[in-house]
Amino acid sequence: MVEKKQAIFDSALELINECGFHGTSMSQLAKHAGVAAGTIYHYFESKEAMICALHTDIVDKLLESLTTSDDKNLSFKERFGKRWKCIYQFHIDRPHVLRFYEQFVNSPFYFNYPKRKEIQLYFSAFFQEGISQGIIIDKNPELISGLFFGSVISALKMKFYRKVDIDGSDLNDIIDMQWKGMII
């Protein structure tokens, strides 16, 4: 059962990247995933529910990756850099996720979606920790989170869409520039 659901998610990511939310039909998705249309409706009551479940799956996997890679014994700066690289690598390993995510956050699904608060709270709590320790500037942690994510997304867009060759040194420079903009 888990394999079929994952096949549906993988196919949905690919098709949504090619055709968009509205251009991807459930029958097309079933055919691409190699499952019966009824199988999709066994897991999801509608295309909208499947799209939200797919986003939840992505967010859960990202949060799991971030949580397992976090080492509280490292300095806050090192944890900051490690989280940045973790998000970047997560998307490099899953190239269809960025386009799906961009469509999702610019759709009505996002505004009615409770899971978005979980990732916002996760990062707000992390940046609040840096503020409380007097390491980073005392500004709204949600704004800091937005700028943090924005730099990762910008680097990914350069790599994926503009085909800019970004190496490890470049990533370290981006992280360093962002870090210097928020330390006290």
Side-chain angles (χ1 to χ4, degrees):
M1 292 293 222
V2 173
E3 291 173 17
K4 286 184 181 181
K5 190 173 183 179
Q6 190 59 53
I8 293 166
F9 283 161
D10 292 344
S11 290
L13 275 174
E14 192 173 326
L15 291 171
I16 289 168
N17 274 282
E18 290 174 17
C19 309
F21 289 148
H22 299 297
T24 301
S25 70
M26 293 299 261
S27 61
Q28 181 185 22
L29 177 57
K31 183 178 180 181
H32 192 275
V35 301
T39 302
I40 294 176
Y41 288 105
H42 172 75
Y43 292 110
F44 315 105
E45 65 185 44
S46 65
K47 182 165 83 171
E48 291 79 12
M50 186 276 304
I51 290 168
C52 288
L54 174 55
H55 188 268
T56 296
D57 184 64
I58 292 166
V59 169
D60 287 346
K61 286 176 179 170
L62 176 59
L63 287 173
E64 180 183 337
S65 180
L66 286 162
T67 302
T68 57
S69 70
D70 192 23
D71 181 354
K72 295 194 188 252
N73 294 317
L74 297 175
S75 70
F76 188 83
K77 179 183 180 181
E78 291 169 315
R79 289 174 67 207
F80 173 89
K82 198 169 183 182
R83 282 178 188 227
W84 198 101
K85 286 181 178 177
C86 182
I87 296 167
Y88 183 84
Q89 191 61 51
F90 179 88
H91 288 83
I92 293 296
D93 294 342
R94 298 161 183 83
H96 292 306
V97 168
L98 182 60
R99 284 183 113 171
F100 169 82
Y101 184 74
E102 287 185 308
Q103 288 183 63
F104 189 86
V105 299
N106 290 297
S107 75
F109 301 123
Y110 182 71
F111 297 101
N112 300 316
Y113 182 66
K115 192 76 172 178
R116 72 185 170 106
K117 295 190 186 317
E118 185 177 329
I119 201 155
Q120 287 173 335
L121 291 173
Y122 178 84
F123 278 95
S124 291
F126 175 70
F127 289 115
Q128 185 58 56
E129 183 183 330
I131 293 167
S132 297
Q133 293 175 12
I135 298 169
I136 62 174
I137 56 175
D138 187 2
K139 300 294 178 193
N140 183 334
E142 286 192 40
L143 295 176
I144 297 170
S145 293
L147 293 171
F148 175 85
F149 260 102
S151 68
V152 179
I153 299 302
S154 292
L156 288 163
K157 284 181 177 182
M158 284 188 279
K159 178 139 182 100
F160 288 147
Y161 306 153
R162 293 180 39 212
K163 306 295 183 198
V164 175
D165 184 31
I166 299 175
D167 64 18
S169 174
D170 295 325
L171 295 179
N172 289 334
D173 288 345
I174 294 167
I175 293 166
D176 189 54
M177 285 185 279
Q178 188 171 23
W179 177 256
K180 287 177 179 174
M182 53 187 278
I183 58 173
I184 294 179

Short mmCIF file of all heavy atoms in Angstrom, two decimals, residues 44-82:
data_model
loop_
_atom_site.label_atom_id
_atom_site.label_comp_id
_atom_site.label_asym_id
_atom_site.label_seq_id
_atom_site.Cartn_x
_atom_site.Cartn_y
_atom_site.Cartn_z
N PHE A 44 -7.29 9.19 -1.33
CA PHE A 44 -7.62 10.62 -1.31
C PHE A 44 -9.04 10.83 -1.82
O PHE A 44 -9.42 10.28 -2.84
CB PHE A 44 -6.65 11.40 -2.21
CG PHE A 44 -5.22 11.02 -2.02
CD1 PHE A 44 -4.56 10.23 -2.95
CD2 PHE A 44 -4.51 11.42 -0.89
CE1 PHE A 44 -3.24 9.85 -2.78
CE2 PHE A 44 -3.19 11.06 -0.69
CZ PHE A 44 -2.55 10.26 -1.65
N GLU A 45 -9.80 11.65 -1.14
CA GLU A 45 -11.19 11.87 -1.54
C GLU A 45 -11.32 12.75 -2.78
O GLU A 45 -12.35 12.74 -3.44
CB GLU A 45 -12.00 12.45 -0.39
CG GLU A 45 -11.56 13.82 0.06
CD GLU A 45 -12.30 14.33 1.28
OE1 GLU A 45 -12.47 13.56 2.23
OE2 GLU A 45 -12.68 15.52 1.27
N SER A 46 -10.27 13.50 -3.10
CA SER A 46 -10.34 14.40 -4.26
C SER A 46 -8.92 14.75 -4.71
O SER A 46 -7.94 14.45 -4.02
CB SER A 46 -11.07 15.69 -3.88
OG SER A 46 -10.31 16.41 -2.91
N LYS A 47 -8.82 15.39 -5.85
CA LYS A 47 -7.52 15.85 -6.34
C LYS A 47 -6.94 16.87 -5.36
O LYS A 47 -5.74 16.85 -5.07
CB LYS A 47 -7.66 16.46 -7.74
CG LYS A 47 -6.33 16.90 -8.33
CD LYS A 47 -6.40 17.17 -9.81
CE LYS A 47 -6.92 18.52 -10.13
NZ LYS A 47 -6.78 18.88 -11.55
N GLU A 48 -7.79 17.74 -4.84
CA GLU A 48 -7.33 18.75 -3.89
C GLU A 48 -6.75 18.09 -2.63
O GLU A 48 -5.71 18.52 -2.12
CB GLU A 48 -8.47 19.70 -3.52
CG GLU A 48 -8.91 20.60 -4.65
CD GLU A 48 -9.81 19.92 -5.70
OE1 GLU A 48 -10.32 18.79 -5.45
OE2 GLU A 48 -9.99 20.50 -6.78
N ALA A 49 -7.42 17.04 -2.16
CA ALA A 49 -6.93 16.32 -0.97
C ALA A 49 -5.60 15.65 -1.27
O ALA A 49 -4.70 15.63 -0.42
CB ALA A 49 -7.96 15.29 -0.52
N MET A 50 -5.45 15.12 -2.48
CA MET A 50 -4.19 14.49 -2.87
C MET A 50 -3.07 15.53 -2.92
O MET A 50 -1.96 15.29 -2.44
CB MET A 50 -4.35 13.79 -4.23
CG MET A 50 -3.12 12.98 -4.67
SD MET A 50 -1.82 13.92 -5.51
CE MET A 50 -2.71 14.66 -6.85
N ILE A 51 -3.35 16.70 -3.48
CA ILE A 51 -2.35 17.76 -3.58
C ILE A 51 -1.91 18.20 -2.18
O ILE A 51 -0.71 18.35 -1.91
CB ILE A 51 -2.89 18.94 -4.41
CG1 ILE A 51 -3.00 18.53 -5.88
CG2 ILE A 51 -2.02 20.18 -4.24
CD1 ILE A 51 -3.77 19.51 -6.75
N CYS A 52 -2.86 18.38 -1.28
CA CYS A 52 -2.51 18.77 0.10
C CYS A 52 -1.75 17.65 0.82
O CYS A 52 -0.80 17.92 1.56
CB CYS A 52 -3.76 19.15 0.87
SG CYS A 52 -4.46 20.74 0.34
N ALA A 53 -2.14 16.39 0.57
CA ALA A 53 -1.43 15.26 1.18
C ALA A 53 0.00 15.17 0.64
O ALA A 53 0.93 14.86 1.39
CB ALA A 53 -2.18 13.96 0.92
N LEU A 54 0.17 15.46 -0.64
CA LEU A 54 1.50 15.47 -1.23
C LEU A 54 2.36 16.55 -0.57
O LEU A 54 3.51 16.30 -0.20
CB LEU A 54 1.42 15.68 -2.74
CG LEU A 54 2.74 15.86 -3.50
CD1 LEU A 54 3.69 14.70 -3.25
CD2 LEU A 54 2.46 16.04 -4.98
N HIS A 55 1.79 17.72 -0.39
CA HIS A 55 2.54 18.79 0.27
C HIS A 55 2.89 18.39 1.71
O HIS A 55 4.01 18.62 2.16
CB HIS A 55 1.75 20.10 0.26
CG HIS A 55 2.55 21.26 0.74
ND1 HIS A 55 2.54 21.65 2.06
CD2 HIS A 55 3.41 22.09 0.11
CE1 HIS A 55 3.34 22.68 2.21
NE2 HIS A 55 3.89 22.96 1.05
N THR A 56 1.95 17.79 2.41
CA THR A 56 2.20 17.32 3.77
C THR A 56 3.34 16.32 3.79
O THR A 56 4.23 16.39 4.65
CB THR A 56 0.93 16.69 4.38
OG1 THR A 56 -0.07 17.69 4.49
CG2 THR A 56 1.20 16.08 5.75
N ASP A 57 3.35 15.40 2.84
CA ASP A 57 4.40 14.40 2.75
C ASP A 57 5.76 15.07 2.56
O ASP A 57 6.74 14.70 3.21
CB ASP A 57 4.09 13.43 1.60
CG ASP A 57 5.09 12.30 1.50
OD1 ASP A 57 5.16 11.48 2.44
OD2 ASP A 57 5.81 12.23 0.47
N ILE A 58 5.81 16.05 1.68
CA ILE A 58 7.06 16.77 1.42
C ILE A 58 7.53 17.50 2.67
O ILE A 58 8.70 17.41 3.07
CB ILE A 58 6.90 17.75 0.24
CG1 ILE A 58 6.70 16.99 -1.07
CG2 ILE A 58 8.09 18.70 0.15
CD1 ILE A 58 6.20 17.84 -2.21
N VAL A 59 6.63 18.22 3.32
CA VAL A 59 6.98 18.97 4.53
C VAL A 59 7.44 18.02 5.63
O VAL A 59 8.44 18.28 6.31
CB VAL A 59 5.80 19.85 5.01
CG1 VAL A 59 6.06 20.41 6.40
CG2 VAL A 59 5.55 20.97 4.02
N ASP A 60 6.73 16.90 5.80
CA ASP A 60 7.13 15.93 6.82
C ASP A 60 8.53 15.38 6.57
O ASP A 60 9.34 15.25 7.49
CB ASP A 60 6.13 14.77 6.89
CG ASP A 60 4.81 15.16 7.54
OD1 ASP A 60 4.73 16.23 8.17
OD2 ASP A 60 3.85 14.37 7.39
N LYS A 61 8.82 15.08 5.31
CA LYS A 61 10.16 14.56 4.97
C LYS A 61 11.23 15.63 5.18
O LYS A 61 12.32 15.32 5.66
CB LYS A 61 10.18 14.04 3.54
CG LYS A 61 9.44 12.73 3.39
CD LYS A 61 9.37 12.27 1.97
CE LYS A 61 8.63 10.93 1.89
NZ LYS A 61 8.31 10.54 0.52
N LEU A 62 10.92 16.87 4.83
CA LEU A 62 11.89 17.95 5.06
C LEU A 62 12.13 18.15 6.55
O LEU A 62 13.28 18.24 7.00
CB LEU A 62 11.41 19.25 4.41
CG LEU A 62 12.30 20.47 4.66
CD1 LEU A 62 13.72 20.26 4.16
CD2 LEU A 62 11.69 21.71 4.02
N LEU A 63 11.07 18.19 7.34
CA LEU A 63 11.23 18.38 8.78
C LEU A 63 11.98 17.21 9.41
O LEU A 63 12.81 17.41 10.31
CB LEU A 63 9.86 18.56 9.46
CG LEU A 63 9.19 19.90 9.21
CD1 LEU A 63 7.76 19.91 9.79
CD2 LEU A 63 10.00 21.05 9.80
N GLU A 64 11.72 16.01 8.93
CA GLU A 64 12.45 14.84 9.43
C GLU A 64 13.94 14.96 9.11
O GLU A 64 14.79 14.70 9.96
CB GLU A 64 11.89 13.56 8.82
CG GLU A 64 12.59 12.30 9.29
CD GLU A 64 12.07 11.04 8.62
OE1 GLU A 64 10.93 11.03 8.13
OE2 GLU A 64 12.84 10.06 8.59
N SER A 65 14.24 15.37 7.90
CA SER A 65 15.63 15.55 7.49
C SER A 65 16.32 16.62 8.34
O SER A 65 17.45 16.44 8.81
CB SER A 65 15.68 15.92 6.01
OG SER A 65 16.99 16.10 5.58
N LEU A 66 15.62 17.73 8.56
CA LEU A 66 16.18 18.81 9.38
C LEU A 66 16.37 18.37 10.83
O LEU A 66 17.40 18.67 11.44
CB LEU A 66 15.26 20.03 9.33
CG LEU A 66 15.30 20.82 8.03
CD1 LEU A 66 14.07 21.71 7.91
CD2 LEU A 66 16.57 21.64 7.95
N THR A 67 15.40 17.67 11.37
CA THR A 67 15.47 17.24 12.76
C THR A 67 16.58 16.23 12.98
O THR A 67 17.34 16.33 13.95
CB THR A 67 14.11 16.64 13.19
OG1 THR A 67 13.09 17.63 13.01
CG2 THR A 67 14.13 16.21 14.65
N THR A 68 16.70 15.26 12.08
CA THR A 68 17.74 14.24 12.26
C THR A 68 19.14 14.78 12.01
O THR A 68 20.10 14.25 12.55
CB THR A 68 17.49 13.00 11.36
OG1 THR A 68 17.44 13.41 10.00
CG2 THR A 68 16.21 12.28 11.74
N SER A 69 19.27 15.84 11.23
CA SER A 69 20.60 16.39 10.96
C SER A 69 21.00 17.46 11.97
O SER A 69 22.16 17.90 11.98
CB SER A 69 20.68 16.96 9.54
OG SER A 69 19.91 18.13 9.43
N ASP A 70 20.07 17.89 12.83
CA ASP A 70 20.39 18.94 13.79
C ASP A 70 21.24 18.38 14.92
O ASP A 70 20.98 17.30 15.44
CB ASP A 70 19.11 19.55 14.35
CG ASP A 70 19.37 20.82 15.13
OD1 ASP A 70 20.41 21.48 14.91
OD2 ASP A 70 18.52 21.19 15.97
N ASP A 71 22.24 19.11 15.29
CA ASP A 71 23.12 18.74 16.40
C ASP A 71 23.23 19.93 17.34
O ASP A 71 23.91 20.91 17.04
CB ASP A 71 24.51 18.35 15.86
CG ASP A 71 25.47 17.91 16.94
OD1 ASP A 71 25.14 18.01 18.14
OD2 ASP A 71 26.58 17.46 16.58
N LYS A 72 22.54 19.85 18.45
CA LYS A 72 22.50 20.97 19.41
C LYS A 72 23.84 21.22 20.07
O LYS A 72 24.01 22.22 20.76
CB LYS A 72 21.40 20.73 20.43
CG LYS A 72 20.03 20.75 19.78
CD LYS A 72 18.93 20.87 20.80
CE LYS A 72 17.60 20.68 20.12
NZ LYS A 72 16.80 21.82 19.98
N ASN A 73 24.81 20.32 19.87
CA ASN A 73 26.15 20.55 20.41
C ASN A 73 26.96 21.51 19.54
O ASN A 73 27.99 22.00 19.97
CB ASN A 73 26.90 19.22 20.54
CG ASN A 73 26.27 18.32 21.58
OD1 ASN A 73 25.89 18.77 22.65
ND2 ASN A 73 26.13 17.05 21.24
N LEU A 74 26.49 21.75 18.33
CA LEU A 74 27.16 22.70 17.44
C LEU A 74 26.78 24.13 17.83
O LEU A 74 25.76 24.35 18.47
CB LEU A 74 26.76 22.44 15.99
CG LEU A 74 27.15 21.09 15.38
CD1 LEU A 74 26.57 20.96 13.98
CD2 LEU A 74 28.66 20.92 15.37
N SER A 75 27.58 25.07 17.39
CA SER A 75 27.24 26.47 17.63
C SER A 75 25.99 26.83 16.82
O SER A 75 25.64 26.14 15.85
CB SER A 75 28.40 27.38 17.19
OG SER A 75 28.52 27.39 15.78
N PHE A 76 25.33 27.90 17.21
CA PHE A 76 24.13 28.33 16.50
C PHE A 76 24.48 28.64 15.04
O PHE A 76 23.73 28.27 14.13
CB PHE A 76 23.50 29.56 17.18
CG PHE A 76 22.17 29.92 16.60
CD1 PHE A 76 21.02 29.28 17.02
CD2 PHE A 76 22.06 30.90 15.62
CE1 PHE A 76 19.78 29.59 16.48
CE2 PHE A 76 20.84 31.22 15.07
CZ PHE A 76 19.69 30.57 15.50
N LYS A 77 25.61 29.24 14.80
CA LYS A 77 26.04 29.55 13.43
C LYS A 77 26.22 28.27 12.61
O LYS A 77 25.80 28.21 11.46
CB LYS A 77 27.35 30.35 13.45
CG LYS A 77 27.86 30.68 12.07
CD LYS A 77 29.20 31.41 12.10
CE LYS A 77 29.67 31.71 10.69
NZ LYS A 77 30.96 32.39 10.69
N GLU A 78 26.83 27.27 13.21
CA GLU A 78 27.02 26.00 12.49
C GLU A 78 25.67 25.32 12.21
O GLU A 78 25.47 24.77 11.13
CB GLU A 78 27.92 25.05 13.30
CG GLU A 78 29.36 25.50 13.37
CD GLU A 78 30.18 24.72 14.39
OE1 GLU A 78 29.69 24.48 15.52
OE2 GLU A 78 31.31 24.33 14.03
N ARG A 79 24.78 25.38 13.18
CA ARG A 79 23.44 24.81 12.99
C ARG A 79 22.69 25.56 11.89
O ARG A 79 21.98 24.96 11.09
CB ARG A 79 22.65 24.86 14.30
CG ARG A 79 23.18 23.87 15.33
CD ARG A 79 22.50 24.03 16.67
NE ARG A 79 21.10 23.65 16.58
CZ ARG A 79 20.15 24.15 17.39
NH1 ARG A 79 20.46 25.04 18.32
NH2 ARG A 79 18.91 23.76 17.26
N PHE A 80 22.85 26.88 11.84
CA PHE A 80 22.24 27.71 10.81
C PHE A 80 22.71 27.24 9.43
O PHE A 80 21.91 26.98 8.53
CB PHE A 80 22.64 29.17 11.07
CG PHE A 80 22.23 30.14 10.00
CD1 PHE A 80 20.99 30.76 10.05
CD2 PHE A 80 23.08 30.45 8.95
CE1 PHE A 80 20.62 31.67 9.07
CE2 PHE A 80 22.72 31.36 7.97
CZ PHE A 80 21.48 31.97 8.03
N GLY A 81 24.02 27.12 9.26
CA GLY A 81 24.59 26.68 7.99
C GLY A 81 24.18 25.27 7.62
O GLY A 81 23.88 24.97 6.47
N LYS A 82 24.13 24.42 8.62
CA LYS A 82 23.75 23.03 8.37
C LYS A 82 22.29 22.94 7.93
O LYS A 82 21.95 22.16 7.04
CB LYS A 82 23.99 22.21 9.65
CG LYS A 82 24.04 20.74 9.43
CD LYS A 82 24.56 20.02 10.66
CE LYS A 82 24.65 18.54 10.36
NZ LYS A 82 25.10 17.78 11.48
#
